[in-house]
Amino acid sequence: MNPSRLLAAPLILYLIVFFYAPLLYIALVGASIEGFPRSYIEAVSRPEFHVFYIKGAAAATIATLMAIILSVPVAFYAAYYARRIERALIVVAMVSTFWVDVLLRALSLKLLFQAIGVSPGFWPMVVGLAYEVLPIVFIASYLGASQAPRELIDAARTLGAGPLQAFARVALPISAPWIAAGAAASFVYSFADYAVPSLLGGTTGFTVGNLIYTLILEGDRWGVGSAVAVMLTLVSAAGAALLFGRLYRIEVGR
Amino acid sequence: MRLDAKTLLRVYTFTVLALVYAPIAALAVQSFSESPLIGVWEGFTLKWYSMIPGDERALRALYNSLSVAALSALSSIVIALLALAGYRRVRRVTLVDLAVYPPLILPDIVEAVALLMFLVYLGFPLGFYSVLVGHTAFNVAYAYIILAPALRGGTKLEEAARTLGASPLQVFIRVTLPLAAPGLISAFTLTFLLSFTDFIKTLFTTGPGFETLPLMIWNRARRPGLGEYSSYSYLAALSTLLVASSISIAAVYTLYALRRGARS
Amino acid sequence: MPRPPVRLEGVWAGYEGRVVLRGVDIEFPGGGITAVLGPSGCGKTTLLKVIAGLVEVLRGRVFFGDVEVTRLPPERRNVGMVFQDLALFPHMTVFENVAFGLRVRGVGGSELKRRVMEALELVGLDPVEFASRRVTELSGGQQQRVALARALVIEPEVLLLDEPLAHLDYKIRQRLVWELRRLQRRLGVTTIYVTHDQWEAMELADMLAVMRDGGVVQFGRPEEVYENPADEFVATFFGDANIMPARLLGEGEGLVAVRPEDVMPLPPGREAGPGFYVIEGYVEDRVFQGPLVRFEVRVDGVVVRSLVPRRIARGMPDRGPVRLVIPKGSVKRLGGRGARG
C-alpha cells in the first residue's frame, strides 16, 4: 500500500470513533438493554408511539408538499426568466435563510404566530417545518432546473411547443429526479426534527424527533430510544439509497 | 402569452420571498418595540439592544459558540486536507469517499443520540469537548467534499508547472495553494456556520454548565417571561442580531459562489 | 412546401438590456442556402434567434414571404432549428427526440411513426438500429444527424443552423457539409447557416452575409464577395488577402487588397506585360500546402504572401530576391470602414 494513503488515517479513525462506533453501539444497546428483540418490538408496537410516527409522517409529508409548491415555481422563474442580477438576488435570498440557526427561524415564526393570535399546535408546526426545509427543496429544484438549460426549452419552442408544453415535456421531466431528491431530504429532515416541534408543536404537534428526545433525555428509556433511532436510520438510508441510485443512473446515462 | 407566464411567476416568486422574510421582519420589528409583550407596539426603542452587553449568560454562550465553531472548522479542515493529500492522484471513488457520505445524510438526531450514548459509555466528560468532537464529526465530512474537487482535479496543472521548471515546493506555493484557496474559504465558512448554528447535536451532547447560543435561545424561548433577559422583545433583539449576521455572511458567501460558478 | 424568403427590416435586438443587433436589413432568398459568416460575438446567433422568435425584437420587422412574424411566438413560426450544442433532449430516445415536434402538433399513431422513420432515413441514420437508442449514447456525428432529423421532420418553411458542426472532427465535418448541401438541394427549404468557418461557408452557400459588430457588412454571392470585399475586415475574414498601402491616381493615399493567388513570381529573364504591376522583393519563407505553395516575400518592409501552384513553385528558390507580378485588375481598393493603418 502506498504510504501516502496513511494520511487519510486521521479522517478514517475520527469517523470510526465518533460516527460509526456510536451507531454500532446504539444498534447493540437497542438490542441488548432490554433483551433482543424486545426494544424493537416495543418501538414498533406500542400504541402511544404510533401517534408520533403517524403525526410525524403526516407533518413531514405536508411540509414537504408545501415546500415543493412554494419553491419549485420560484426555482423555475430564477432559472429561466430572471435576468442575471435578479436571479442572483432570488437565489441568495432563498438560500440565505438556510444558514440562519433553525431555532432562530422557528422562534421568529413563533413570534409571528403569537402576534397574529395563532397558538402552537399541529398546523403551526407543519408550517414551521415547511419553513425549515424550503431552502433544501429550493436548492434541489434550482439545480434540477439548471439541468435543463435554456437552449432545450428554446429547441422545444421552435419545434412547436408552447411555453406550458415546453415546461411539462422538457423542463419538468429533466428536473424531476432532483426535485424528488430534495423532497426526500426534506421529508427525512422534518420527520426527525426536534427544534421546530419543540417550539411550535405545543402539546399536539410531535415528530419522531420528539419521541427520541423524550425517551432518551427525559424518560431514560435508552433501549427503546435507540431502537427508534436505528429504525429511523434505516428508513432514511433506504430513502437515500433509492434516490442516489436513481440520480447515479441518470448521470451515467448521459 | 409568454409575457403573462413570466409576470405570474415573477409575482409568485416575490410573494414567496416576502413570506420567507416576514417572520424575520416580525422579529426585527418586535426587537424595536417598547413593550416586552409579543405583538404589542408601544413605540420605538433601542433599549433591548442596549441590554445585550450586560447579559453575561449570552456573552458566555456567544464565546462558547464561537470557540467551538472556530476550532471545529479548523480541525475538520486539517483532517480533511490530510486525507485528500494522501489521495492526490486517485481518480476512482475510494473507500474514504464512501465513508464521508453517511454523516451528511443521516438525521442529526440519530447521530446525536448515538454519540451521547457512546460518550457516556466511554466515560467521556460531557461539555465543551464532547460538543466539539460532535460538531467535528459532521464537519470533517463537509470539509472533505468541499475540498475534494480542487485538490483532486489540480494535478494536471501541477504537472504542467513541473515541466515549466518549478520545484515541488514552488508548485505547492504557486499552484496548489492558490487553486485550493477558494475551496478553503468555502470550507471554512460552511463548517463554521454549521457548527455555530447547530442545535440538536449540541442539545444532546452538552453537559451541565456548557451552553451555546442556540441552546440559550431555546432555553429562554421555551420559558419566556417578563424578567430582564427573558422577555420576548429582548430575545427578539438578540435573535435579530444573530439572524442579520448569519444572513449577511451567507449572502456574501452565496454571491461569491455564484460568481465563481459563472466564471468557470 | 412554401419556400418563403426571410426578410429583416431595420432589426434591433438583444438580451438582458444588451443590444446585439444594430439595425440589420437583409433578405435571405427563398429556397436557397445563405451562409452567415462572422467572428464570435458578432451577433450571428442572435440573428438566427430573431428569425426563430427566441429573441425579442426591439425595433424593426421580420417577414417570412409576405407574412410579418415579428411578434409571433416561436412555436407558431414553423422553423426548424439546429442549435449550436444541438439541444437534444437527454431524457428521450432518438425516436422521441425526432417525434417531439410532431407530437406537440397532435400527430400520432402510424403517421407519426412513418414520418419519424422517414426523417431518420433522410439524414442517413438506420431507423431500426437507432430509433430506440438514447441520444446520450451516440457519437457527435450521429447526434448531429438526429438534431437535423428533428428539425426537418416538421417540414419547416425555414431551416436555421447555428454552427451545427463546430464540435466535430474535420473529416466528419467535411462529409456532413457535403450531405447537407445535397439534402438542401433536394428539399429546397429556405436555409440559413451560421458559421465562423469560411470553408463551410464556401462549400454551402448560394449567398453569403458577412457580419461584424451586430451588423451585416457585406451580402452577395460568395464569389462576388470574394472578388470585391467591401473592406479590410471582409477581405481578411473571407479568404486571405494582402493589405497594402498604395497611392491611387487621383484619389490620394488608401489601402488595397490583393489575394495571394493573384501575386505571381516572375521567372528570371521574363518580362511582364502592360496589364501587370511589377514589384521587387525577397523570399523569406516557403510553406508547402499540398496543391499550392505559399511564399512569404518581403517588399519595402511589408510581408506579401504569394500562393503558387506546386508545379510553378518548383523552379523557385527557398530564399533570395524575386520579382512579383500582379494583374492590374486584381488590385481592389478598400472602403473606409475597417481600414486600419
Side-chain angles (χ1 to χ4, degrees):
Chain A
M1 186 175 149
N2 187 333
S4 69
R5 301 282 191 275
L6 287 176
L7 288 170
L11 176 69
I12 295 296
L13 277 178
Y14 196 95
L15 287 177
I16 288 176
V17 174
F18 295 113
F19 182 79
Y20 288 103
L23 282 185
L24 190 65
Y25 178 71
I26 59 161
L28 294 175
V29 166
S32 64
I33 282 188
E34 293 164 47
F36 185 77
R38 199 179 296 161
S39 307
Y40 285 89
I41 290 175
E42 186 180 344
V44 173
S45 64
R46 210 162 144 179
E48 293 96 312
F49 293 178
H50 291 171
V51 179
F52 290 90
Y53 302 146
I54 293 165
K55 278 197 174 170
T61 309
I62 301 167
T64 300
L65 286 176
M66 284 170 68
I68 290 174
I69 291 167
L70 285 173
S71 61
V72 169
V74 177
F76 277 101
Y77 176 76
Y80 292 128
Y81 289 109
R83 288 180 178 188
R84 214 169 299 151
I85 293 169
E86 192 185 6
R87 180 187 308 150
L89 181 83
I90 294 168
V91 174
V92 168
M94 289 295 284
V95 173
S96 293
T97 60
F98 189 58
W99 296 106
V100 175
D101 195 336
V102 279
L103 270 176
L104 293 179
R105 278 186 284 164
L107 178 65
S108 63
L109 205 56
K110 184 185 166 93
L111 284 171
L112 184 62
F113 279 154
Q114 287 199 6
I116 58 177
V118 176
S119 45
F122 181 78
W123 288 105
M125 176 186 77
V126 170
V127 173
L129 289 173
Y131 191 40
E132 301 287 348
V133 297
L134 194 64
I136 301 176
V137 181
F138 173 78
I139 293 168
S141 322
Y142 184 72
L143 288 177
S146 318
Q147 299 301 305
R150 181 74 210 215
E151 205 168 52
L152 290 185
I153 310 294
D154 283 351
R157 296 293 300 277
T158 62
L159 291 167
L164 277 177
Q165 272 178 314
F167 175 78
R169 285 171 183 258
V170 177
L172 201 58
I174 292 178
S175 49
W178 295 80
I179 300 174
S186 135
F187 179 87
V188 170
Y189 183 99
S190 338
F191 191 55
D193 192 28
Y194 173 71
V196 170
S198 76
L199 284 182
L200 291 167
T203 52
T204 54
F206 300 110
T207 66
V208 178
N210 289 77
L211 178 61
I212 294 176
Y213 180 85
T214 313
L215 289 171
I216 301 276
L217 289 190
E218 288 174 356
D220 246 359
R221 297 291 315 276
W222 285 28
V224 185
S226 36
V228 175
V230 167
M231 289 192 304
L232 182 59
T233 307
L234 294 178
V235 169
S236 44
L242 264 175
L243 275 163
F244 276 96
R246 198 161 164 212
L247 282 180
Y248 179 74
R249 268 209 304 284
I250 289 165
E251 284 304 314
V252 170
R254 73 178 39 176
Chain B
M1 174 88 186
R2 190 172 159 198
L3 260 174
D4 279 357
K6 184 182 170 175
T7 315
L8 269 175
L9 273 175
R10 188 176 196 177
V11 170
Y12 190 87
T13 295
F14 284 94
T15 312
V16 170
L17 283 176
L19 286 176
V20 167
Y21 283 90
I24 291 167
L27 189 74
V29 170
Q30 181 77 45
S31 73
F32 294 111
S33 166
E34 188 74 42
S35 163
L37 297 169
I38 276 189
V40 179
W41 180 261
E42 290 174 358
F44 180 86
T45 180
L46 287 174
K47 71 175 176 194
W48 308 111
Y49 287 94
S50 67
M51 280 163 62
I52 295 174
D55 183 357
E56 274 173 32
R57 186 178 171 195
L59 295 182
R60 201 167 51 246
L62 174 67
Y63 175 78
N64 289 343
S65 286
L66 287 176
S67 30
V68 169
L71 277 175
S72 168
L74 283 177
S75 46
S76 58
I77 287 174
V78 169
I79 293 171
L81 275 179
L82 277 177
L84 285 164
Y87 284 84
R88 287 306 305 276
R89 280 161 210 288
V90 183
R91 281 298 165 84
R92 67 196 153 74
V93 177
T94 65
L95 198 65
V96 186
D97 294 326
L98 294 178
V100 299
Y101 277 99
L104 306 178
I105 296 163
L106 217 59
D108 290 2
I109 199 158
V110 174
E111 262 186 73
V113 167
L115 188 62
L116 165 70
M117 289 171 60
F118 190 61
L119 292 179
V120 168
Y121 167 73
L122 293 178
F124 196 101
L126 297 181
F128 174 78
Y129 288 103
S130 58
V131 171
L132 179 63
V133 295
H135 287 192
T136 308
F138 55 74
N139 272 346
V140 284
Y142 278 101
Y144 184 89
I145 57 161
I146 294 165
L147 291 169
L151 282 165
R152 277 200 171 163
T155 49
K156 217 185 267 173
L157 299 175
E158 284 165 5
E159 281 161 9
R162 290 301 294 277
T163 65
L164 293 168
S167 71
L169 184 67
Q170 282 173 317
V171 169
F172 182 76
I173 293 170
R174 287 170 179 268
V175 181
T176 315
L177 269 188
L179 281 175
L184 286 171
I185 294 170
S186 297
F188 187 83
T189 315
L190 297 191
T191 51
F192 184 91
L193 280 175
L194 280 169
S195 166
F196 192 77
T197 62
D198 182 80
F199 167 61
I200 289 180
K201 206 154 190 188
T202 318
L203 176 69
F204 276 78
T205 54
T206 190
F210 187 76
E211 196 177 48
T212 60
L213 268 179
L215 283 191
M216 187 211 74
I217 287 166
W218 183 67
N219 279 325
R220 286 183 175 169
R222 283 213 305 179
R223 305 181 202 82
L226 294 175
E228 252 205 315
Y229 294 128
S230 55
S231 77
Y232 269 125
S233 292
Y234 175 69
L235 217 49
L238 206 55
S239 306
T240 305
L241 268 187
L242 286 171
V243 169
S245 48
S246 292
I247 288 189
S248 12
I249 295 173
V252 169
Y253 171 75
T254 315
L255 272 178
Y256 169 77
L258 280 177
R259 281 187 62 179
R260 276 186 62 214
R263 227 178 295 148
S264 60
Chain C
M1 203 193 309
R3 303 168 178 182
V6 173
R7 193 166 77 251
L8 276 69
E9 292 181 359
V11 167
W12 290 67
Y15 344 56
E16 307 221 337
R18 199 166 51 93
V19 177
V20 181
L21 294 185
R22 301 164 180 280
V24 172
D25 284 293
I26 192 169
E27 179 163 333
F28 298 98
I33 301 189
T34 304
V36 176
L37 184 68
S40 49
C42 70
K44 49 194 196 303
T45 294
T46 309
L47 180 75
L48 276 200
K49 289 191 169 177
V50 161
I51 297 166
L54 296 167
V55 171
E56 202 188 342
V57 173
L58 304 171
R59 211 191 306 161
R61 304 203 291 173
V62 182
F63 294 88
F64 289 0
D66 296 327
V67 184
E68 181 173 356
V69 297
T70 317
R71 299 283 157 220
L72 218 56
E75 66 269 22
R76 290 172 52 201
R77 292 196 183 196
N78 204 26
V79 298
M81 181 157 175
V82 176
F83 289 75
Q84 197 162 10
D85 297 319
L86 303 183
L88 295 176
F89 303 126
H91 59 305
M92 296 181 190
T93 59
V94 169
F95 183 94
E96 285 303 322
N97 261 281
V98 178
F100 186 94
L102 297 173
R103 285 199 195 281
V104 298
R105 282 169 171 74
V107 179
S110 57
E111 193 197 343
L112 177 88
K113 192 162 180 207
R114 180 181 56 78
R115 285 175 66 179
V116 171
M117 295 303 183
E118 277 174 11
L120 286 173
E121 259 166 36
L122 189 68
V123 299
L125 286 176
D126 177 7
V128 181
E129 189 191 339
F130 286 99
S132 58
R133 297 269 290 272
R134 290 191 78 90
V135 289
T136 46
E137 298 166 359
L138 304 182
S139 73
Q142 290 163 345
Q143 290 186 340
Q144 216 287 325
R145 289 167 198 265
V146 175
L148 190 61
R150 186 177 71 172
L152 288 174
V153 76
I154 58 176
E155 297 177 356
E157 290 174 32
V158 180
L159 179 63
L160 306 172
L161 302 149
D162 187 6
E163 306 207 27
L165 309 179
H167 303 302
L168 299 178
D169 293 342
Y170 177 72
K171 274 285 163 195
I172 301 172
R173 221 171 68 190
Q174 199 176 33
R175 200 169 69 228
L176 284 170
V177 161
W178 290 338
E179 283 181 27
L180 198 61
R181 186 182 168 91
R182 241 190 340 261
L183 196 60
Q184 196 278 340
R185 288 284 178 278
R186 206 170 113 201
L187 301 173
V189 53
T190 306
T191 302
I192 302 171
Y193 188 98
V194 156
T195 181
H196 65 262
D197 183 310
Q198 51 164 312
W199 177 81
E200 284 179 13
M202 288 181 199
E203 282 285 331
L204 283 169
D206 303 317
M207 293 295 280
L208 177 75
V210 183
M211 283 189 73
R212 186 193 189 187
D213 297 338
V216 175
V217 194
Q218 195 170 4
F219 181 60
R221 292 194 308 107
E223 266 184 80
E224 263 168 44
V225 175
Y226 191 82
E227 301 268 347
N228 294 298
D231 59 20
E232 183 185 345
F233 169 76
V234 177
T236 53
F237 199 81
F238 189 56
D240 188 16
N242 292 298
I243 306 295
M244 296 181 280
R247 190 170 297 115
L248 300 149
L249 286 174
E251 293 180 62
E253 303 268 322
L255 284 177
V256 295
V258 184
R259 297 291 179 191
E261 66 270 26
D262 291 329
V263 181
M264 287 291 183
L266 193 64
R270 297 270 295 275
E271 288 306 317
F276 295 88
Y277 296 114
V278 181
I279 47 179
E280 308 265 333
Y282 188 89
V283 177
E284 289 195 329
D285 201 1
R286 171 194 174 113
V287 183
F288 173 68
Q289 298 194 320
L292 300 168
V293 176
R294 190 178 80 230
F295 290 92
E296 313 246 317
V297 183
R298 183 163 291 276
V299 179
D300 290 342
V302 188
V303 173
V304 174
R305 289 179 299 283
S306 163
L307 214 49
V308 181
R310 199 185 44 181
R311 199 186 286 265
I312 294 174
R314 229 175 257 159
M316 296 270 301
D318 286 2
R319 296 181 78 82
V322 71
R323 277 190 306 161
L324 300 172
V325 292
I326 303 171
K328 288 185 172 166
S330 69
V331 178
K332 303 294 176 192
R333 170 148 170 62
L334 295 173
R337 190 171 131 81
R340 269 164 280 151

